Amino acid sequence: MLKVSPFLLKSSKEAQEATLRLLPAKRKHVYEKEMVEFDNWRKKRGLGEGAITEEVLLAYFFNVEKHFAASSMWTKYSMLKSMLKVHKGIDISKYGKLTSYLKVGSRKYKTKKAKILERYQIEEFLKKAPDVEYLQVKVALILGVAGACRCNELTFLDISDVQDKGSYLYVLIPDTKKNISRSFTVMEEAFSVSAVEMCRKYIRLRPKAAGRRFFLRYVDGKCTTQHVGINTISKTFSKVASFLGLPDPESFTGHGMRRSLATLLANAGGDITTVKRHGGWKSTTVAENYIEESLSSKMAIAEKIQVLPNVGEVVGPSSTSETPHRVNLNPGQNNKVVFELNVNVNINNNSK
């Protein structure tokens, strides 16, 4: 009987443990569940381990599409791709027919993006909403939008992660979805209110027996020792929308905080690199999808295209091949802007 070296057995075990680390630790159970679903489907059809081919996977996703929305297909594909590569050594990213099939299916689906709040709406809420009822919501809104925070990042924010630097707050987000720490600042007059003082007021209301979580339940102007859960944080935007009387406030989800930050930053002139760095996005395409064309930005663009500055009268040259130029008829007064080509212009204030 052939004996296997203890060293080889140990190395094989260590290699297996190292391979398992290729899967995301936080969502490992979700990946494993996806693999179990595929294996169960395969076994019901009498397909063995060696039958994991492109044709089999096409048949699997054809059946999956009957029970799941098109938006879920790429997610399931990504998880199954990782599991097959780790456990079976099969790289399904090379299956061109499969990826083409998924692309065709995704064209039928129109992504429903989280609604955003524009700057004037955020400022209106922070100024008008009473602190006795909405202070915790205000602080969550300030930190969430200023830092493009995910709901889980705000939920598990530690009190030590919010540092008072006097004229501003320095906020650290140590545990992110991408395992990359981020940080941001909240300025004294953020969103045209005393944002730092508003956060300080909330911190001062913390009971001495409170734990390490930054966000505590807030009732009738007082903080309790109970932590705020992710469901409460995720309703921050809908509470703001409801207070402002916006239509369908339930459609304003917690994800809107990240989209609002990306939109505000882009509208203020921030380039895509700045947006990616601040929001923690690696992909330019993903970051661009977070930017919403707000009504205010559309109005600004329309004004640039459709409205000329009213500073004088534009008159044409003697030839249509030349560019019309502007003549200031009466400095200090508004003059009608007109275009005239191939005519002699009598610049006289009394002329009609």
Side-chain angles (χ1 to χ4, degrees):
M1 184 177 179
L2 183 64
K3 291 185 178 180
V4 180
S5 168
F7 175 76
L8 291 177
L9 289 173
K10 184 179 179 181
S11 298
S12 178
K13 186 178 180 181
E14 290 174 343
Q16 285 182 330
E17 292 179 0
T19 303
L20 291 175
R21 291 185 184 181
L22 298 175
L23 301 173
K26 294 180 181 179
R27 293 176 54 81
K28 183 180 175 182
H29 65 287
V30 182
Y31 280 64
E32 291 173 344
K33 181 181 177 182
E34 183 61 36
M35 187 66 185
V36 169
E37 289 180 2
F38 173 68
D39 281 339
N40 290 339
W41 175 89
R42 179 173 53 80
K43 290 174 182 177
K44 283 181 180 179
R45 284 156 180 77
L47 301 172
E49 293 285 343
I52 304 178
T53 63
E54 184 172 18
E55 286 68 27
V56 169
L57 285 163
L58 276 167
Y60 174 69
F61 280 101
F62 177 77
N63 284 273
V64 167
E65 193 176 21
K66 297 176 183 178
H67 307 287
F68 291 89
S71 59
S72 303
M73 297 292 284
W74 281 109
T75 303
K76 297 177 78 65
Y77 166 81
S78 178
M79 291 190 290
L80 190 58
K81 179 180 70 173
S82 298
M83 292 298 290
L84 287 174
K85 194 169 186 178
V86 168
H87 292 286
K88 311 291 185 183
I90 301 173
D91 185 6
I92 66 174
S93 64
K94 297 178 180 178
Y95 294 168
K97 290 181 183 178
L98 178 60
T99 53
S100 296
Y101 173 76
L102 294 174
K103 287 178 181 178
V104 171
S106 63
R107 291 172 191 160
K108 306 173 187 177
Y109 177 76
K110 187 176 181 181
T111 306
K112 293 183 179 179
K113 297 180 179 180
K115 291 185 178 180
I116 69 166
L117 290 173
E118 298 201 39
R119 181 181 297 277
Y120 75 90
Q121 293 171 325
I122 295 173
E123 292 177 352
E124 182 182 355
F125 174 78
L126 293 175
K127 290 176 180 178
K128 294 183 178 180
D131 284 359
V132 69
E133 183 178 356
Y134 290 98
L135 183 60
Q136 183 267 316
V137 178
K138 287 183 175 183
V139 175
L141 178 65
I142 291 170
L143 298 186
V145 175
C149 296
R150 300 176 179 88
C151 292
N152 66 313
E153 292 170 351
L154 289 178
T155 302
F156 297 102
L157 191 67
D158 192 277
I159 185 62
S160 63
D161 294 331
V162 181
Q163 302 171 18
D164 193 336
K165 300 295 185 179
S167 60
Y168 66 93
L169 296 180
Y170 176 80
V171 184
L172 177 66
I173 308 293
D175 189 14
T176 69
K177 182 180 178 181
K178 303 293 184 181
N179 295 316
I180 300 174
S181 62
R182 303 198 324 271
S183 62
F184 63 94
T185 58
V186 177
M187 307 308 293
E188 180 61 45
E189 296 299 323
F191 303 112
S192 301
V193 297
S194 299
V196 172
E197 185 54 39
M198 198 172 286
C199 295
R200 286 177 184 148
K201 180 179 179 180
Y202 180 72
I203 293 172
R204 287 195 296 266
L205 293 173
R206 294 176 63 86
K208 293 182 179 179
R212 299 298 307 171
R213 295 269 190 92
F214 179 81
F215 282 105
L216 302 174
R217 189 164 178 262
Y218 182 77
V219 182
D220 298 329
K222 296 180 180 179
C223 285
T224 69
T225 57
Q226 183 180 352
H227 298 156
V228 172
I230 192 169
N231 289 332
T232 301
I233 292 292
S234 66
K235 293 177 181 177
T236 297
F237 250 37
S238 64
K239 290 179 180 177
V240 175
S242 180
F243 177 86
L244 295 175
L246 300 179
D248 194 15
E250 295 301 321
S251 63
F252 288 80
T253 64
H255 203 60
M257 289 188 280
R258 284 174 64 75
R259 295 200 68 230
S260 294
L261 174 279
T263 303
L264 290 174
L265 189 52
N267 288 348
D271 58 26
I272 193 63
T273 302
T274 304
V275 174
K276 287 168 60 180
R277 184 184 298 116
H278 192 71
W281 293 290
K282 293 182 179 179
S283 168
T284 297
T285 303
V286 172
E288 288 175 341
N289 286 335
Y290 273 77
I291 299 173
E292 177 83 5
E293 278 198 84
S294 63
L295 180 59
S296 59
S297 68
K298 290 179 180 179
M299 291 293 289
I301 293 171
E303 186 174 353
K304 291 178 180 178
I305 297 172
Q306 303 168 28
V307 181
L308 285 171
N310 195 14
V311 295
E313 184 172 355
V314 178
V315 296
S318 58
S319 170
T320 56
S321 63
E322 298 179 27
T323 303
H325 61 280
R326 186 181 300 279
V327 177
N328 194 354
L329 296 179
N330 197 351
Q333 295 185 18
N334 291 329
N335 298 284
K336 186 177 180 180
V337 178
V338 296
F339 285 92
E340 296 184 23
L341 298 177
N342 294 328
V343 295
N344 293 322
V345 181
N346 182 17
I347 304 177
N348 189 325
N349 290 334
N350 295 323
S351 64
K352 294 182 180 180

PDB file of all heavy atoms in Angstrom, residues 295-321:
ATOM      1  N   LEU A 295     -32.111  67.898 -11.242  1.00  0.00           N
ATOM      2  CA  LEU A 295     -32.849  68.957 -11.926  1.00  0.00           C
ATOM      3  C   LEU A 295     -32.053  70.253 -11.941  1.00  0.00           C
ATOM      4  O   LEU A 295     -32.033  70.968 -12.945  1.00  0.00           O
ATOM      5  CB  LEU A 295     -34.198  69.175 -11.241  1.00  0.00           C
ATOM      6  CG  LEU A 295     -35.102  70.261 -11.840  1.00  0.00           C
ATOM      7  CD1 LEU A 295     -35.423  69.949 -13.291  1.00  0.00           C
ATOM      8  CD2 LEU A 295     -36.381  70.395 -11.029  1.00  0.00           C
ATOM      9  N   SER A 296     -31.363  70.549 -10.843  1.00  0.00           N
ATOM     10  CA  SER A 296     -30.591  71.789 -10.775  1.00  0.00           C
ATOM     11  C   SER A 296     -29.456  71.789 -11.797  1.00  0.00           C
ATOM     12  O   SER A 296     -29.170  72.808 -12.431  1.00  0.00           O
ATOM     13  CB  SER A 296     -30.022  71.983  -9.364  1.00  0.00           C
ATOM     14  OG  SER A 296     -29.194  70.905  -9.001  1.00  0.00           O
ATOM     15  N   SER A 297     -28.806  70.631 -11.986  1.00  0.00           N
ATOM     16  CA  SER A 297     -27.716  70.568 -12.973  1.00  0.00           C
ATOM     17  C   SER A 297     -28.264  70.680 -14.387  1.00  0.00           C
ATOM     18  O   SER A 297     -27.652  71.300 -15.261  1.00  0.00           O
ATOM     19  CB  SER A 297     -26.930  69.266 -12.818  1.00  0.00           C
ATOM     20  OG  SER A 297     -27.717  68.148 -13.193  1.00  0.00           O
ATOM     21  N   LYS A 298     -29.448  70.094 -14.639  1.00  0.00           N
ATOM     22  CA  LYS A 298     -30.060  70.206 -15.956  1.00  0.00           C
ATOM     23  C   LYS A 298     -30.442  71.655 -16.255  1.00  0.00           C
ATOM     24  O   LYS A 298     -30.301  72.126 -17.388  1.00  0.00           O
ATOM     25  CB  LYS A 298     -31.299  69.310 -16.031  1.00  0.00           C
ATOM     26  CG  LYS A 298     -30.968  67.821 -16.043  1.00  0.00           C
ATOM     27  CD  LYS A 298     -32.224  66.977 -16.103  1.00  0.00           C
ATOM     28  CE  LYS A 298     -31.885  65.488 -16.108  1.00  0.00           C
ATOM     29  NZ  LYS A 298     -33.082  64.638 -16.144  1.00  0.00           N
ATOM     30  N   MET A 299     -30.946  72.366 -15.233  1.00  0.00           N
ATOM     31  CA  MET A 299     -31.304  73.767 -15.418  1.00  0.00           C
ATOM     32  C   MET A 299     -30.062  74.606 -15.718  1.00  0.00           C
ATOM     33  O   MET A 299     -30.099  75.520 -16.551  1.00  0.00           O
ATOM     34  CB  MET A 299     -32.005  74.287 -14.157  1.00  0.00           C
ATOM     35  CG  MET A 299     -33.385  73.685 -13.921  1.00  0.00           C
ATOM     36  SD  MET A 299     -34.583  74.173 -15.179  1.00  0.00           S
ATOM     37  CE  MET A 299     -34.811  75.893 -14.743  1.00  0.00           C
ATOM     38  N   ALA A 300     -28.953  74.294 -15.032  1.00  0.00           N
ATOM     39  CA  ALA A 300     -27.716  75.037 -15.259  1.00  0.00           C
ATOM     40  C   ALA A 300     -27.199  74.818 -16.678  1.00  0.00           C
ATOM     41  O   ALA A 300     -26.737  75.749 -17.340  1.00  0.00           O
ATOM     42  CB  ALA A 300     -26.661  74.605 -14.239  1.00  0.00           C
ATOM     43  N   ILE A 301     -27.290  73.568 -17.156  1.00  0.00           N
ATOM     44  CA  ILE A 301     -26.856  73.261 -18.517  1.00  0.00           C
ATOM     45  C   ILE A 301     -27.753  73.966 -19.530  1.00  0.00           C
ATOM     46  O   ILE A 301     -27.282  74.549 -20.509  1.00  0.00           O
ATOM     47  CB  ILE A 301     -26.863  71.740 -18.747  1.00  0.00           C
ATOM     48  CG1 ILE A 301     -25.786  71.069 -17.891  1.00  0.00           C
ATOM     49  CG2 ILE A 301     -26.645  71.406 -20.226  1.00  0.00           C
ATOM     50  CD1 ILE A 301     -25.856  69.555 -17.878  1.00  0.00           C
ATOM     51  N   ALA A 302     -29.066  73.920 -19.285  1.00  0.00           N
ATOM     52  CA  ALA A 302     -30.010  74.565 -20.187  1.00  0.00           C
ATOM     53  C   ALA A 302     -29.755  76.066 -20.275  1.00  0.00           C
ATOM     54  O   ALA A 302     -29.833  76.671 -21.343  1.00  0.00           O
ATOM     55  CB  ALA A 302     -31.443  74.302 -19.720  1.00  0.00           C
ATOM     56  N   GLU A 303     -29.429  76.663 -19.134  1.00  0.00           N
ATOM     57  CA  GLU A 303     -29.166  78.107 -19.112  1.00  0.00           C
ATOM     58  C   GLU A 303     -27.926  78.446 -19.927  1.00  0.00           C
ATOM     59  O   GLU A 303     -27.888  79.455 -20.644  1.00  0.00           O
ATOM     60  CB  GLU A 303     -29.001  78.584 -17.670  1.00  0.00           C
ATOM     61  CG  GLU A 303     -28.870  80.101 -17.545  1.00  0.00           C
ATOM     62  CD  GLU A 303     -28.846  80.557 -16.101  1.00  0.00           C
ATOM     63  OE1 GLU A 303     -29.068  79.720 -15.211  1.00  0.00           O
ATOM     64  OE2 GLU A 303     -28.600  81.749 -15.878  1.00  0.00           O
ATOM     65  N   LYS A 304     -26.892  77.599 -19.824  1.00  0.00           N
ATOM     66  CA  LYS A 304     -25.668  77.842 -20.601  1.00  0.00           C
ATOM     67  C   LYS A 304     -25.925  77.738 -22.100  1.00  0.00           C
ATOM     68  O   LYS A 304     -25.343  78.466 -22.899  1.00  0.00           O
ATOM     69  CB  LYS A 304     -24.583  76.838 -20.184  1.00  0.00           C
ATOM     70  CG  LYS A 304     -24.044  77.061 -18.784  1.00  0.00           C
ATOM     71  CD  LYS A 304     -23.015  75.992 -18.429  1.00  0.00           C
ATOM     72  CE  LYS A 304     -22.477  76.202 -17.022  1.00  0.00           C
ATOM     73  NZ  LYS A 304     -21.501  75.152 -16.632  1.00  0.00           N
ATOM     74  N   ILE A 305     -26.819  76.795 -22.485  1.00  0.00           N
ATOM     75  CA  ILE A 305     -27.086  76.583 -23.896  1.00  0.00           C
ATOM     76  C   ILE A 305     -28.074  77.604 -24.448  1.00  0.00           C
ATOM     77  O   ILE A 305     -27.891  78.155 -25.536  1.00  0.00           O
ATOM     78  CB  ILE A 305     -27.642  75.158 -24.126  1.00  0.00           C
ATOM     79  CG1 ILE A 305     -26.600  74.113 -23.733  1.00  0.00           C
ATOM     80  CG2 ILE A 305     -28.072  74.958 -25.579  1.00  0.00           C
ATOM     81  CD1 ILE A 305     -27.127  72.701 -23.736  1.00  0.00           C
ATOM     82  N   GLN A 306     -29.128  77.890 -23.687  1.00  0.00           N
ATOM     83  CA  GLN A 306     -30.268  78.604 -24.229  1.00  0.00           C
ATOM     84  C   GLN A 306     -30.313  80.097 -23.903  1.00  0.00           C
ATOM     85  O   GLN A 306     -31.056  80.838 -24.539  1.00  0.00           O
ATOM     86  CB  GLN A 306     -31.567  77.948 -23.724  1.00  0.00           C
ATOM     87  CG  GLN A 306     -31.652  76.478 -24.072  1.00  0.00           C
ATOM     88  CD  GLN A 306     -32.775  75.775 -23.347  1.00  0.00           C
ATOM     89  OE1 GLN A 306     -33.783  76.389 -23.011  1.00  0.00           O
ATOM     90  NE2 GLN A 306     -32.617  74.488 -23.089  1.00  0.00           N
ATOM     91  N   VAL A 307     -29.560  80.530 -22.909  1.00  0.00           N
ATOM     92  CA  VAL A 307     -29.645  81.922 -22.474  1.00  0.00           C
ATOM     93  C   VAL A 307     -28.280  82.583 -22.612  1.00  0.00           C
ATOM     94  O   VAL A 307     -27.278  82.085 -22.087  1.00  0.00           O
ATOM     95  CB  VAL A 307     -30.128  82.024 -21.009  1.00  0.00           C
ATOM     96  CG1 VAL A 307     -30.232  83.484 -20.599  1.00  0.00           C
ATOM     97  CG2 VAL A 307     -31.468  81.322 -20.852  1.00  0.00           C
ATOM     98  N   LEU A 308     -28.231  83.721 -23.319  1.00  0.00           N
ATOM     99  CA  LEU A 308     -27.001  84.487 -23.447  1.00  0.00           C
ATOM    100  C   LEU A 308     -26.933  85.543 -22.357  1.00  0.00           C
ATOM    101  O   LEU A 308     -27.963  86.099 -21.968  1.00  0.00           O
ATOM    102  CB  LEU A 308     -26.946  85.177 -24.816  1.00  0.00           C
ATOM    103  CG  LEU A 308     -26.641  84.283 -26.025  1.00  0.00           C
ATOM    104  CD1 LEU A 308     -26.846  85.087 -27.303  1.00  0.00           C
ATOM    105  CD2 LEU A 308     -25.233  83.762 -25.957  1.00  0.00           C
ATOM    106  N   PRO A 309     -25.740  85.846 -21.861  1.00  0.00           N
ATOM    107  CA  PRO A 309     -25.608  86.927 -20.872  1.00  0.00           C
ATOM    108  C   PRO A 309     -26.121  88.234 -21.460  1.00  0.00           C
ATOM    109  O   PRO A 309     -25.774  88.604 -22.578  1.00  0.00           O
ATOM    110  CB  PRO A 309     -24.104  86.982 -20.609  1.00  0.00           C
ATOM    111  CG  PRO A 309     -23.591  85.645 -21.018  1.00  0.00           C
ATOM    112  CD  PRO A 309     -24.454  85.203 -22.161  1.00  0.00           C
ATOM    113  N   ASN A 310     -26.954  88.934 -20.722  1.00  0.00           N
ATOM    114  CA  ASN A 310     -27.582  90.156 -21.216  1.00  0.00           C
ATOM    115  C   ASN A 310     -26.699  91.365 -20.917  1.00  0.00           C
ATOM    116  O   ASN A 310     -26.989  92.181 -20.058  1.00  0.00           O
ATOM    117  CB  ASN A 310     -28.950  90.316 -20.555  1.00  0.00           C
ATOM    118  CG  ASN A 310     -29.804  91.338 -21.271  1.00  0.00           C
ATOM    119  OD1 ASN A 310     -29.485  91.732 -22.391  1.00  0.00           O
ATOM    120  ND2 ASN A 310     -30.879  91.755 -20.634  1.00  0.00           N
ATOM    121  N   VAL A 311     -25.573  91.480 -21.641  1.00  0.00           N
ATOM    122  CA  VAL A 311     -24.630  92.563 -21.354  1.00  0.00           C
ATOM    123  C   VAL A 311     -24.422  93.483 -22.547  1.00  0.00           C
ATOM    124  O   VAL A 311     -23.584  94.359 -22.527  1.00  0.00           O
ATOM    125  CB  VAL A 311     -23.252  91.983 -20.924  1.00  0.00           C
ATOM    126  CG1 VAL A 311     -23.378  91.240 -19.630  1.00  0.00           C
ATOM    127  CG2 VAL A 311     -22.684  91.078 -22.018  1.00  0.00           C
ATOM    128  N   GLY A 312     -25.159  93.301 -23.624  1.00  0.00           N
ATOM    129  CA  GLY A 312     -24.977  94.180 -24.758  1.00  0.00           C
ATOM    130  C   GLY A 312     -25.661  93.646 -25.985  1.00  0.00           C
ATOM    131  O   GLY A 312     -26.387  92.659 -25.921  1.00  0.00           O
ATOM    132  N   GLU A 313     -25.466  94.265 -27.092  1.00  0.00           N
ATOM    133  CA  GLU A 313     -26.093  93.834 -28.332  1.00  0.00           C
ATOM    134  C   GLU A 313     -25.070  93.134 -29.208  1.00  0.00           C
ATOM    135  O   GLU A 313     -23.956  93.622 -29.376  1.00  0.00           O
ATOM    136  CB  GLU A 313     -26.671  95.040 -29.074  1.00  0.00           C
ATOM    137  CG  GLU A 313     -27.420  94.656 -30.342  1.00  0.00           C
ATOM    138  CD  GLU A 313     -28.130  95.843 -30.934  1.00  0.00           C
ATOM    139  OE1 GLU A 313     -28.123  96.924 -30.306  1.00  0.00           O
ATOM    140  OE2 GLU A 313     -28.692  95.684 -32.026  1.00  0.00           O
ATOM    141  N   VAL A 314     -25.454  91.986 -29.724  1.00  0.00           N
ATOM    142  CA  VAL A 314     -24.572  91.233 -30.601  1.00  0.00           C
ATOM    143  C   VAL A 314     -24.869  91.633 -32.039  1.00  0.00           C
ATOM    144  O   VAL A 314     -26.005  91.544 -32.491  1.00  0.00           O
ATOM    145  CB  VAL A 314     -24.766  89.716 -30.429  1.00  0.00           C
ATOM    146  CG1 VAL A 314     -23.873  88.954 -31.398  1.00  0.00           C
ATOM    147  CG2 VAL A 314     -24.437  89.325 -28.999  1.00  0.00           C
ATOM    148  N   VAL A 315     -23.868  92.122 -32.730  1.00  0.00           N
ATOM    149  CA  VAL A 315     -24.056  92.552 -34.111  1.00  0.00           C
ATOM    150  C   VAL A 315     -23.174  91.722 -35.006  1.00  0.00           C
ATOM    151  O   VAL A 315     -22.135  91.206 -34.594  1.00  0.00           O
ATOM    152  CB  VAL A 315     -23.724  94.057 -34.273  1.00  0.00           C
ATOM    153  CG1 VAL A 315     -24.683  94.890 -33.455  1.00  0.00           C
ATOM    154  CG2 VAL A 315     -22.287  94.330 -33.877  1.00  0.00           C
ATOM    155  N   GLY A 316     -23.573  91.590 -36.268  1.00  0.00           N
ATOM    156  CA  GLY A 316     -22.840  90.728 -37.174  1.00  0.00           C
ATOM    157  C   GLY A 316     -21.803  91.479 -37.966  1.00  0.00           C
ATOM    158  O   GLY A 316     -21.859  92.699 -38.111  1.00  0.00           O
ATOM    159  N   PRO A 317     -20.848  90.790 -38.522  1.00  0.00           N
ATOM    160  CA  PRO A 317     -19.823  91.377 -39.376  1.00  0.00           C
ATOM    161  C   PRO A 317     -20.372  91.607 -40.779  1.00  0.00           C
ATOM    162  O   PRO A 317     -21.533  91.304 -41.068  1.00  0.00           O
ATOM    163  CB  PRO A 317     -18.723  90.331 -39.366  1.00  0.00           C
ATOM    164  CG  PRO A 317     -19.474  89.044 -39.190  1.00  0.00           C
ATOM    165  CD  PRO A 317     -20.649  89.357 -38.311  1.00  0.00           C
ATOM    166  N   SER A 318     -19.543  92.075 -41.648  1.00  0.00           N
ATOM    167  CA  SER A 318     -19.973  92.365 -43.006  1.00  0.00           C
ATOM    168  C   SER A 318     -20.130  91.110 -43.846  1.00  0.00           C
ATOM    169  O   SER A 318     -20.710  91.140 -44.912  1.00  0.00           O
ATOM    170  CB  SER A 318     -18.959  93.298 -43.690  1.00  0.00           C
ATOM    171  OG  SER A 318     -17.674  92.681 -43.686  1.00  0.00           O
ATOM    172  N   SER A 319     -19.614  89.988 -43.355  1.00  0.00           N
ATOM    173  CA  SER A 319     -19.707  88.741 -44.109  1.00  0.00           C
ATOM    174  C   SER A 319     -20.198  87.631 -43.193  1.00  0.00           C
ATOM    175  O   SER A 319     -19.828  87.570 -42.028  1.00  0.00           O
ATOM    176  CB  SER A 319     -18.330  88.367 -44.672  1.00  0.00           C
ATOM    177  OG  SER A 319     -18.358  87.051 -45.212  1.00  0.00           O
ATOM    178  N   THR A 320     -21.031  86.755 -43.731  1.00  0.00           N
ATOM    179  CA  THR A 320     -21.564  85.656 -42.915  1.00  0.00           C
ATOM    180  C   THR A 320     -20.494  84.656 -42.550  1.00  0.00           C
ATOM    181  O   THR A 320     -20.702  83.811 -41.695  1.00  0.00           O
ATOM    182  CB  THR A 320     -22.684  84.925 -43.678  1.00  0.00           C
ATOM    183  OG1 THR A 320     -22.175  84.493 -44.934  1.00  0.00           O
ATOM    184  CG2 THR A 320     -23.888  85.832 -43.883  1.00  0.00           C
ATOM    185  N   SER A 321     -19.343  84.723 -43.197  1.00  0.00           N
ATOM    186  CA  SER A 321     -18.253  83.792 -42.877  1.00  0.00           C
ATOM    187  C   SER A 321     -17.518  84.213 -41.628  1.00  0.00           C
ATOM    188  O   SER A 321     -16.747  83.458 -41.075  1.00  0.00           O
ATOM    189  CB  SER A 321     -17.267  83.705 -44.050  1.00  0.00           C
ATOM    190  OG  SER A 321     -16.656  84.969 -44.272  1.00  0.00           O
TER     191      SER A 321
END
